Amino acid sequence: MTLPPGIHVAWRAAPPDEPRRDASRALLAELLPGARFVSRCPLCGGDHGRIRVEDRDAAVSVSYVPGWTVVAVTRHHDRLGVDAVPADAGELNRVLTGAADARAWARAEAVLKADGRGLAVDPARVRVREDADGWSAHVVERPGGQQATTGWRGWDLAGPEGVVAALAVARPR
C-alpha cells in the first residue's frame, strides 16, 4: 500500500502513564513545525474533539489506540481522517455498530472523521468498496436511501502489531 504524495502518517508509543495528547501533539509538531493546533468541541466549547491547524493550510487527524497514537497530515487534500483500533475489537464493534470486523470499523471511522461529523453519524451508513490500490467509500445520508455525501478514497495502514488502522481523504485541492 502506497499513500499518495503529500500525505504523511506517523506513529508514536503513548505510555499509559503519560497524556496521549502529548504524544500526538509532538508528532504533529514534527510534521508541521511551528504550527498551532486546536481542538474545540462544537457542543460544549471544551478543549477536546476534532483537531485543526490554525495557522497553516493543512489538514490533520489523530487517533489513539491503547499504547499508541497515530497522526496524519496533508497539505494536498481538504480533509482527511485516520483511525486505529485494536485488531481484536472486531466482535465488540460488530455487536455495537454492525461493522463486520476491526478493519471495517477503522475504515468507517476514518471516513467519518474526514467527513467532519465523526460518530454523530452511524458508522453502518458508511459504504466501502475495494479498489485496486485501496478502497473508496461514501456515507448514505438517508438510511435505506441512496443519496450519498462526498466520495472518499481510503487506504489500510501498516501499524504496530495488534493494531488495525485506516486513512480516508477527500478530493485533492
Side-chain angles (χ1 to χ4, degrees), residues 72-152:
V73 174
T74 186
R75 292 176 184 244
H76 300 283
H77 297 270
D78 291 328
R79 297 178 281 171
L80 85 163
V82 66
D83 192 54
V85 296
D88 61 2
E91 181 59 21
L92 176 61
N93 290 334
R94 185 190 61 73
V95 170
L96 294 176
T97 67
D101 58 20
R103 174 83 52 218
W105 175 265
R107 288 173 172 181
E109 191 164 353
V111 167
L112 294 174
K113 284 181 172 185
D115 176 78
R117 295 179 287 175
L119 295 177
V121 173
D122 181 355
R125 291 177 30 202
V126 177
R127 303 289 190 263
V128 175
R129 186 186 78 229
E130 299 290 330
D131 292 337
D133 64 340
W135 46 271
S136 59
H138 66 275
V139 180
V140 175
E141 289 302 320
R142 295 188 184 143
Q146 297 301 316
Q147 183 179 4
T149 63
T150 304
W152 304 96

Side-chain angles (χ1 to χ4, degrees), residues 18-29:
E18 296 177 19
R20 63 187 190 174
R21 183 182 235 185
D22 291 352
S24 66
R25 295 304 193 272
L27 272 173
L28 289 170

